Amino acid sequence: MSKAFDTVDHTILIDKLLKTNLSPTIKKFIANYIRGRKAQTVYNNIKSKKQNIKSGVPQGGVLSPSLFNLYLSDLPKAPSNVIIAAYADDLTPTSSHPIIQTATSQLQPYLNELTEWIDKNKLTLNPDKSTTTLFSPDPGETNTKITLTINNIIIPQIDHPKKLGLTFDKKLNYTEHINKTIVKAKSTINILKALSSKSWAQDKETLTTTFKTITRPILEYANSVWSPIISNSNIKKIQTVQYSALRIITGCTADTNTQHLHEETKILSVEEHLTLLASQFKQKTYDPSHPLHPLLMQPPTPRPMKQNIFNQDCIYTKEILEEPILSTDLMNACCKQIHTDFVQIHLANRKPNKLLNSVPPDTSTLTKKP
């Protein structure tokens, strides 16, 4: 929607507020907070007359997101064959069916209903900023065109929609997201280079902390969605960026054994760390109040096209306590134990150094000679 926060009608918002089960005192307080707001402009030290603001929630107000959610609370309910996800003013309805035309025919009536609701609530839907995408593993459907409309205007079709920082693609292999992630992560490598230069000369621990703070979050953003699905080649692309960072942190050369880089910095490989995060994420879904808890109970599909952490035979999660968890302390203890188990597995699987013919010693225990 276009300028959604600025176009919220105060009369409609207050009417919806009065229909809630909040106490009368809070309703009056919020209604007074919304009404009676004035604005003026200043140009060349000359002030305009104050004008009453009849629409929009206060910019930067702590209540504004909640008020906007209240405004959207009576969105038309999606039919059984359509799912809608909403984040602020971004609405994403989806429909799934083996026949593309059927999925389209299921979605178009709901788009018409949404358009009517938006007009009725004095908001503006922008078809130029809206897009459609066809997700299909069938190569023969790659170039299929979708015809969905808003106010009789065909919605543009794109191959790589971006939602909350995650770039999707038609086959859900997330190659486009990984490529963009690598470009963004490489820009942070320059910060590590600057901190490790002669003028700054930060120690290894500081550089490692910096890597974990500014580089690894970029590399692993939204990993619970894409990590079980992406190919090994994409994992290697991410690992290559991590190798570059670890060489800067340790001061090692390009021909240094990669296992040594992880040993000295005490950082797991990308594949190990992604599996660790997926395991902890799945463990948290055993809390009955978790939004994804129902996925644990879904029946297995006959032939899953894509692996995910909720498959019963998933190889991307390990050491999971498969029973309901009602205590926060128990959940934290389980996640901590998963981390401990992964570290122990990593240490147990270390390969011996070819020159020493044994596992290299812990660098932190070595003392420098005078």
Side-chain angles (χ1 to χ4, degrees):
M1 289 179 280
S2 299
K3 299 180 180 180
F5 276 64
D6 296 329
T7 55
V8 170
D9 186 89
H10 288 175
T11 301
I12 298 176
L13 175 59
I14 292 174
D15 181 59
K16 294 181 180 183
L17 173 66
L18 296 177
K19 293 178 181 180
T20 65
N21 57 1
L22 294 172
S23 68
T25 302
I26 295 179
K27 291 179 181 178
K28 292 178 181 178
F29 177 85
I30 297 178
N32 289 332
Y33 170 73
I34 298 171
R35 282 177 172 164
R37 306 182 74 89
K38 298 179 181 294
Q40 67 178 175
T41 59
V42 179
Y43 180 72
N44 286 340
N45 296 323
I46 300 175
K47 297 181 180 179
S48 68
K49 292 182 179 179
K50 291 184 178 181
Q51 299 290 332
N52 289 324
I53 300 176
K54 299 181 180 179
S55 64
V57 290
Q59 290 288 336
V62 68
L63 285 180
S64 297
S66 299
L67 292 174
F68 187 75
N69 287 338
L70 172 63
Y71 201 76
L72 298 186
S73 60
D74 59 345
L75 270 173
K77 186 177 180 181
S80 59
N81 49 24
V82 175
I83 299 174
I84 183 168
Y87 183 82
D89 58 349
D90 193 345
L91 308 178
T92 308
T94 59
S95 179
S96 177
H97 197 276
I99 302 175
I100 297 175
Q101 291 75 13
T102 303
T104 303
S105 62
Q106 292 174 168
L107 197 54
Q108 184 61 60
Y110 184 63
L111 290 179
N112 297 337
E113 194 175 353
L114 273 180
T115 303
E116 292 177 6
W117 181 92
I118 288 171
D119 291 340
K120 180 181 177 181
N121 286 269
K122 300 183 179 181
L123 297 172
T124 304
L125 196 61
N126 192 336
D128 295 330
K129 291 185 178 180
S130 301
T131 62
T132 62
T133 302
L134 170 65
F135 298 98
S136 174
D138 186 356
E141 296 176 342
T142 301
N143 297 322
T144 303
K145 298 298 181 182
I146 305 174
T147 305
L148 290 169
T149 62
I150 296 176
N151 290 328
N152 296 322
I153 299 175
I154 297 178
I155 307 173
Q157 183 173 344
I158 62 173
D159 295 337
H160 302 291
K162 187 175 182 180
K163 296 296 177 185
L164 301 179
L166 176 62
T167 302
F168 293 85
D169 50 71
K170 294 187 293 186
K171 294 185 178 181
L172 291 179
N173 54 28
Y174 294 99
T175 297
E176 184 73 13
H177 175 76
I178 298 302
N179 291 337
K180 290 182 177 180
T181 294
I182 289 172
V183 172
K184 189 175 180 180
K186 282 183 177 179
S187 64
T188 66
I189 300 295
N190 295 328
I191 299 177
L192 292 175
K193 289 180 179 179
L195 292 175
S196 62
S197 63
K198 293 182 180 180
S199 57
W200 286 81
Q202 297 296 315
D203 56 36
K204 180 178 63 179
E205 287 72 21
T206 300
L207 293 173
T208 301
T209 302
T210 304
F211 166 77
K212 292 180 179 179
T213 303
I214 66 173
T215 305
R216 191 157 71 175
I218 295 175
L219 292 174
E220 298 180 347
Y221 177 75
N223 65 86
S224 58
V225 177
W226 52 259
S227 65
I229 299 176
I230 65 172
S231 63
N232 291 331
S233 60
N234 281 329
I235 289 285
K236 290 179 180 179
K237 291 179 184 178
I238 303 174
Q239 183 66 65
T240 300
V241 178
Q242 180 162 301
Y243 283 149
S244 300
L246 299 188
R247 288 190 181 97
I248 295 171
I249 293 171
T250 58
C252 293
T253 57
D255 58 352
T256 302
N257 181 275
T258 54
Q259 178 176 295
H260 171 78
L261 298 175
H262 292 97
E263 296 297 324
E264 186 171 345
T265 56
K266 300 185 184 301
I267 291 177
L268 295 174
S269 68
V270 169
E271 185 174 4
E272 289 175 319
H273 199 251
L274 289 175
T275 307
L276 164 63
L277 295 176
S279 299
Q280 291 179 327
F281 179 76
K282 184 177 181 180
Q283 183 70 86
K284 292 177 181 178
T285 62
Y286 278 89
D287 180 353
S289 64
H290 195 283
L292 299 183
H293 181 73
L295 294 179
L296 295 170
M297 312 304 170
Q298 62 182 349
T301 55
R303 186 171 67 90
M305 297 297 293
K306 294 287 186 179
Q307 179 71 273
N308 66 73
I309 63 173
F310 296 104
N311 293 137
Q312 294 180 353
D313 56 347
C314 180
I315 63 174
Y316 296 97
T317 56
K318 300 176 182 178
E319 304 296 334
I320 300 298
L321 179 63
E322 298 185 356
E323 60 184 53
I325 297 178
L326 303 176
S327 167
T328 302
D329 292 338
L330 178 58
M331 177 66 73
N332 293 336
C334 290
C335 292
K336 186 176 181 180
Q337 185 60 47
I338 291 173
H339 182 275
T340 301
D341 292 342
F342 266 84
V343 173
Q344 290 177 348
I345 292 172
H346 170 81
L347 295 176
N349 293 336
R350 286 185 300 173
K351 297 178 181 179
N353 183 279
K354 294 181 180 179
L355 296 177
L356 300 177
N357 198 27
S358 64
V359 176
D362 188 347
T363 55
S364 62
T365 62
L366 301 179
T367 56
K368 296 182 179 180
K369 295 182 179 180

